[in-house]
Structure formats: C-alpha cells, structure tokens
Amino acid sequence: MAQEDTFKKIVSHCKEYGFVFPSSDIYDGLAAVYDYGQNGVELKNNIKQYWWQSMVLLHSNIVGIDSSIFMHPTIWKASGHVDAFNDPLIDNRDSKKRYRADVLIEDQLGKYEEKMDKEIAKAAKKFGDSFDEAQFRATNPRVLEYQRKYDELHARFANAMETSNLEELKQIILDEGIVDPISGTKNWTDVRQFNLMFSTEMGASADSSSTIYLRPETAQGIFVNFLNVQKTGRMKLPFGIAQIGKAFRNEIVARQFVFRMREFEQMEMQFFCQPGTEMEWFNYWKQYRLAWHQALGMGNENYRYHDHEKLAHYANAATDIEFRMPFGFKEVEGIHSRTDFDLSQHEKYSGRQIKYFDPERNENYTPYVVETSIGVDRMFLSVMCHSYIEEQLENGSSRIVLSLPEPLAPVKCAVLPLVNKDGLPEKAQEIVDDLKFHFNTTIEAKDSIGKRYRRQDAIGTPFCVTVDGDTLTDNTVTLRYRDSMKQERVPIAKLREIIEDRVSITSLLKKLDVKE
Ligand code: GAP
C-alpha cells in the first residue's frame, strides 16, 4: 500500500475511533486546527505525563511552571519573533494557492530520499541476507547520483535560508522544476516573508500599543520567569525549568494532519548552566531525549538525529530528532544550545538585571541555556503512525490493530461480560471497580465478543478480560493480549499484578539513565 494511502487511513481511523476530530466539524472544520476526542485526549495525556515525569520527577534539579499564553508584547521584540519569525511564501498564479517556499524545496529533497530508499529496498529484496546497505549506498551509480543531487540542493537551500535570500529560494524552485501540485504549472510569484504570529488587542482600545500576540512558543514564558523561579526555588546551576502548553503559529501550509497545526502544544525545557559547560549538557540532553523516544519500543531504526550545520546566530549547536513518518523522516523534537541569547535580550529590553550569582565562583553571570522542545501533537502522530497495523490473520480474516506502547494506550484494560445477563455484567463491573483505581479500565457489554475484541484492538487496548459463566464459580477470567491475541485463563486476583507493571509510565521511566 502506498504510504500516502496508509496516512489517509490513519487520519480516518483517528476520527472513527475518537482520537482526533477536525475542529468545528459541524461547520466543515477550521484549517489546521483539530480537537482531540475521548481516546485521543487519554493518549495525549499519557505522552505528557511520560515527558513531565521524565523531566521533573526524575531530575531533582528540574522544576515545572505554567506561564500564561498572553505576555508583554516587548517579549516578542526581545526574542526576535516580531522581526524574524517569518516564513517565505510563494503563490501559484494559476491555482491561486499559497505555499511555503521552504516546504516545496523540502518536499523535493524528500523525493530524492524516496528514490534512494526505493533503490535500496529493491536491492535488499534481491540480495536477501547478504545485502550490505552501506556498501550499496557507496557504490550504486543511481543512488550516488540521487545523493549528489540531494547534497547539492540541500547545501543551496540551507544557504538561501540562512541568508534569507528570497530570490535564490525562487530560483531553486524554478531550477528544480517544482510544479504546483494542484495546477501542475510553474507559474510562480516572487517569494516574500510572512510573520507567523497571531495578534489580537488587549482591553478596549485598539491602538497599536494594545496589540499582543498569542505565544508562538512556550519557551519565552520560561525565560521571563528565570529570576522568579531561581530565587523562590533557591535553584543552583545547573537547573532546568519545564513547561507544557499551547502555542500558536499562523502556518501557511497547513498539511499532514496534526503535524503542522495553527494551534498546537509544546513540551519545552530550558536547562540553565554555567557558560562553558553547555556542550556537555547539550550532548547529555541529545542522548537523553533520544533514549526517551526509544524507550517506547517503536524501533530504534525509525529515529535519527539531524544535526544543523548552519546555526541561528545565537546558537552554538542544534539538532533535531526525526521520526520516520509515512511521509518521510520528519522533525519531532529540537535540542538547541542557545547560549545566553534569550536571557541577555530580556535583560536589555526589560532593563532588569537577569544574572545568576554563583556562590562558588563568587561572581554574577548570565547562564547559558540548552533547550529541549518537542511538539505533543507530532509525538502523538508518530505514535499513531507507528502503531496502526492492518494484519492478515491465519484464518483468512483481517484486523486493524493499534499496537500502541502499552503505557500510552488510552484504555489499558477492557472487561467484557460474555453475555449481557445472568449476573455477568455485575461481575464485570466488580472487576472494573477494583482495577480502575490502578489504571484506565472500561466495561463493554454490547455486540458479539469477536466484535468487541476488534473494537478494543482498533483503539489499542492492550488487555481484554472476558467474564463468563465459570467466572461466577471459580473467579477466573480469560485474559486476551492485544498483539499476540493469545488467551489464557487467570484468577481475577492476579489481573492487577499481570497488567499494572506493563502499563505504567514507571516501566518506561525505569529504562532511562539520568544524570544530575
Ligand atoms: N522553542 C523552540 C521552538 O519552538 P521549534 O522547532 O519551532 O522550536 C519545537 O518547535 C517543536 O514544536 C517542533 O519540533 C515540533 O514538534 C513542534 N511544532 C512546531 N511547530 C508546530 C506546528 N505548527 N504544529 C505542530 N507542532 C509544531
């Protein structure tokens, strides 16, 4: 099945099973804005809980905050967002559609990658176990040619972005023969800049002094609270401040479902450290964050780092963690060494001294910052994409199973009375009433048992417990495992013990190696 078809199926699965709905659905939706349904919100909350605990619970030197979305407008001047938070836009005169010039070029890069992947997949199939991918990449003429084109385009693109050279971006689009996917033509306008921040007015007057912005990142709420937290929490360097919250960007290209939204959620942590130690911390956070992803068991080969060669003027290192989505490897998280840029800028614009007094060195200085920034929605999407499986079964039938990492599953255990009478629903309810204190447990009595299993598979419930006539006499139930569909008879009294460890966030946290 083409990757595009798989992705479409995942999007409709999300709607059909209460994970994600288009916002304002009965009014035909609002572009690039989505609502999370009854199962989506549970999965999203589990992701957030996993992140929060891995940061705040496991690191005694990291604390959390919850800052407001509206902030003083000068913050966005200081951070550079008013002047430089722009996307390069281009219009196609025939379709009248607007695109991000950088995204059109990124898609072109993706096409070269796809071509290489196809050649590799073909060769891997042909040569079987003896296939050596590294050698094939280094010697196959077609792969080498695609790689050369990729490298050339990548270098030219990075240079144009870094220098904000809009004419060059347009020239790349023309030289690469990129056509509008709708009109199929190359009738492009010039490229121009577009600021991504949403603005609104605060209070009754509507002059420009009352213009405020919806935050485009949560990080600035952390920087402007640095002194508050450091002083009230008596924090000593190195220490971190973590935050989860909504961010807003007027994205021009609203595509790929929850991958690029206009209202989305970030989980960000700013780690303040002594100047000169930032690379050590950058490497720690790079490794720790990748381990966080890998602990979910979604295949180490599906992640890769993308180190930034060209850095923003204030950064001295930056990397993305990318995940293999159905539409290619894409950024899910960024780790940035931001030097003392943000704190210094806020010191300059606010007129307040934002320094740390180091008692050991007996001096004041501006701390350096390493940031980890991950989008909750992108994380959600990577989990959904990886977990969605259409399985052909041995008996000739098929099923759709969401093979979610068990601790992230919205519902951990579904209790199913075999028939909806003879005291079975009451017995099932008794089991739910016991287990619900420990993990998310639900009861489902409607439809045949087979249909109920399929429904639970489709929402990713790792355990189903079937209550039948024997249960009433011997207090045993049938426990069914989602992925293997294996069934075994177990005493009710053992259910908690079997399930709890596997579905707890703690089981993930224990896989992480923490340095403080
Ligand atoms: N404070 C740094 C910062 O905001 P970013 O790379 O612009 O860096 C960080 O964003 C993360 O936020 C991204 O890696 C991505 O996961 C998520 N993100 C950014 N824009 C998004 C959007 N329009 N929709 C969904 N997630 C987005």
Side-chain angles (χ1 to χ4, degrees):
M1 198 190 328
Q3 295 292 291
E4 218 167 278
D5 293 340
T6 312
F7 191 56
K8 277 191 192 145
K9 287 186 177 182
I10 292 167
V11 174
S12 54
H13 190 86
C14 279
K15 182 166 183 195
E16 192 179 342
Y17 288 95
F19 283 89
V20 182
F21 307 125
S23 156
S24 324
D25 204 10
I26 58 171
Y27 291 93
D28 296 332
L30 182 66
V33 187
Y34 291 92
D35 297 341
Y36 284 82
Q38 68 279 15
N39 289 317
V41 71
E42 294 291 341
L43 172 50
K44 204 172 164 213
N45 282 343
N46 291 336
I47 291 171
K48 290 195 272 186
Q49 202 189 344
Y50 175 36
W51 184 87
W52 189 264
Q53 295 191 1
S54 74
M55 289 295 185
V56 179
L57 191 79
L58 296 195
H59 295 86
S60 62
N61 60 351
I62 297 184
V63 292
I65 61 165
D66 183 13
S67 71
S68 54
I69 287 168
F70 292 146
M71 295 197 277
H72 196 288
T74 310
I75 288 172
W76 304 112
K77 191 82 190 145
S79 66
H81 284 83
V82 170
D83 297 319
F85 194 51
N86 300 318
D87 271 348
L89 289 193
I90 192 164
D91 290 33
N92 182 272
R93 292 196 187 91
D94 298 322
S95 69
K96 311 267 182 277
K97 290 278 172 201
R98 182 162 290 173
Y99 300 91
R100 266 176 62 178
D102 57 331
V103 172
L104 288 177
I105 299 170
E106 275 169 12
D107 286 353
Q108 182 72 0
L109 284 166
K111 282 186 188 151
Y112 289 130
E113 279 187 315
E114 247 171 56
K115 285 180 178 162
M116 286 187 270
D117 286 348
K118 265 194 196 145
E119 295 290 340
I120 290 163
K122 237 176 18 192
K125 202 166 162 199
K126 188 168 154 198
F127 295 114
D129 287 345
S130 63
F131 180 62
D132 179 343
E133 185 179 326
Q135 194 197 358
F136 186 76
R137 275 183 183 275
T139 53
N140 180 271
R142 271 194 300 271
V143 172
L144 285 172
E145 179 58 12
Y146 290 136
Q147 188 66 52
R148 185 189 63 75
K149 286 186 174 166
Y150 178 95
D151 292 341
E152 262 180 36
L153 175 57
H154 188 268
R156 207 176 151 193
F157 172 50
N159 187 41
M161 289 298 284
E162 177 63 17
T163 52
S164 295
N165 186 341
L166 304 184
E167 285 94 46
E168 171 69 349
L169 284 178
K170 179 172 180 186
Q171 199 52 50
I172 294 176
I173 289 173
L174 295 177
D175 291 350
E176 287 286 323
I178 296 173
V179 296
D180 174 15
I182 294 170
S183 67
T185 72
K186 299 174 202 160
N187 193 3
W188 297 109
T189 62
D190 287 342
V191 178
R192 65 210 148 75
Q193 295 287 26
F194 175 84
N195 193 284
L196 293 183
M197 282 197 294
F198 283 102
S199 63
T200 186
E201 270 86 43
M202 189 166 227
S205 71
D207 60 27
S208 66
S209 64
S210 60
T211 299
I212 57 164
Y213 300 99
L214 271 71
R215 65 181 179 200
E217 62 171 15
T218 60
Q220 296 305 322
I222 295 179
F223 289 123
V224 299
N225 275 296
F226 167 77
L227 283 181
N228 286 337
V229 174
Q230 192 270 318
K231 293 211 154 72
T232 58
R234 298 186 196 177
M235 307 298 289
K236 279 184 148 185
L237 287 193
F239 75 91
I241 305 179
Q243 166 158 240
I244 299 178
K246 288 271 179 140
F248 305 83
R249 295 182 189 178
N250 196 1
E251 297 282 2
I252 303 315
V253 184
R255 276 189 321 174
Q256 288 154 338
F257 194 37
V258 296
F259 183 80
R260 185 165 282 124
M261 301 159 87
R262 296 201 166 106
E263 173 180 341
F264 59 101
E265 210 164 357
Q266 290 185 314
M267 306 189 282
E268 299 201 292
M269 193 278 302
Q270 312 295 320
F271 195 75
F272 302 93
C273 59
Q274 261 188 29
T277 64
E278 73 275 11
M279 286 318 295
E280 183 194 324
W281 287 112
F282 176 77
N283 288 328
Y284 167 70
W285 285 111
K286 198 173 147 176
Q287 167 274 317
Y288 184 79
R289 292 303 308 148
L290 184 64
W292 183 91
H293 287 273
Q294 290 177 339
L296 289 167
M298 300 202 298
N300 293 2
E301 70 285 1
N302 292 321
Y303 298 92
R304 70 179 187 194
Y305 289 124
H306 170 221
D307 293 325
H308 294 207
E309 296 127 41
K310 300 250 162 142
L311 298 167
H313 62 278
Y314 52 79
N316 61 7
T319 198
D320 295 335
I321 294 177
E322 297 184 336
F323 183 77
R324 195 199 302 264
M325 303 276 190
F327 41 91
F329 269 100
K330 295 286 166 192
E331 173 194 340
V332 175
E333 170 156 14
I335 296 131
H336 313 122
S337 175
R338 301 181 62 108
T339 65
D340 59 355
F341 174 77
D342 301 88
L343 291 181
S344 301
Q345 284 292 100
H346 289 305
E347 182 167 287
K348 186 167 134 199
Y349 278 80
S350 69
R352 302 280 179 88
Q353 202 194 53
I354 308 180
K355 297 263 188 302
Y356 172 74
F357 177 72
D358 189 327
E360 273 140 48
R361 285 166 49 172
N362 197 26
E363 61 170 326
N364 275 311
Y365 54 81
T366 311
Y368 269 38
V369 173
V370 176
E371 162 185 80
T372 71
S373 174
I374 172 171
V376 182
D377 311 274
R378 281 196 193 173
M379 186 61 206
F380 176 97
L381 187 60
S382 66
V383 171
M384 285 304 277
C385 289
H386 180 264
S387 304
Y388 179 91
I389 296 168
E390 291 179 4
E391 211 172 64
Q392 293 302 321
L393 304 177
E394 274 169 16
N395 64 8
S397 66
S398 65
R399 69 165 180 161
I400 290 174
V401 56
L402 262 194
S403 194
L404 297 168
E406 291 171 357
L408 299 188
V411 177
K412 309 296 197 247
C413 173
V415 184
L416 317 173
L418 191 58
V419 289
N420 203 7
K421 56 182 183 182
D422 302 335
L424 299 191
E426 291 77 8
K427 188 71 182 171
Q429 190 61 50
E430 243 177 60
I431 298 172
V432 173
D433 287 343
D434 177 33
L435 296 181
K436 71 182 179 190
F437 290 99
H438 310 289
F439 39 80
N440 193 332
T441 309
T442 184
I443 186 166
E444 206 179 348
K446 225 176 121 219
D447 288 332
S448 71
I449 197 74
K451 274 195 183 153
R452 279 181 277 168
Y453 281 153
R454 288 289 174 276
R455 205 179 142 68
Q456 292 303 326
D457 287 344
I459 67 167
T461 306
F463 298 97
C464 283
V465 165
T466 304
V467 174
D468 56 25
D470 291 343
T471 309
L472 301 178
T473 51
D474 66 4
N475 274 315
T476 64
V477 286
T478 301
L479 181 64
R480 175 187 182 268
Y481 296 83
R482 176 195 66 198
D483 295 340
S484 64
M485 292 189 293
K486 210 181 87 192
Q487 301 190 9
E488 63 178 343
R489 201 74 190 167
V490 300
I492 293 172
K494 284 241 167 213
L495 283 175
R496 180 179 163 196
E497 186 188 316
I498 298 171
I499 300 173
E500 193 171 25
D501 261 6
R502 283 179 56 162
V503 301
S504 75
I505 297 286
T506 312
S507 67
L508 296 175
L509 297 175
K510 282 190 175 157
K511 296 182 191 168
L512 302 176
D513 215 357
V514 174
K515 168 181 153 180
E516 292 190 79

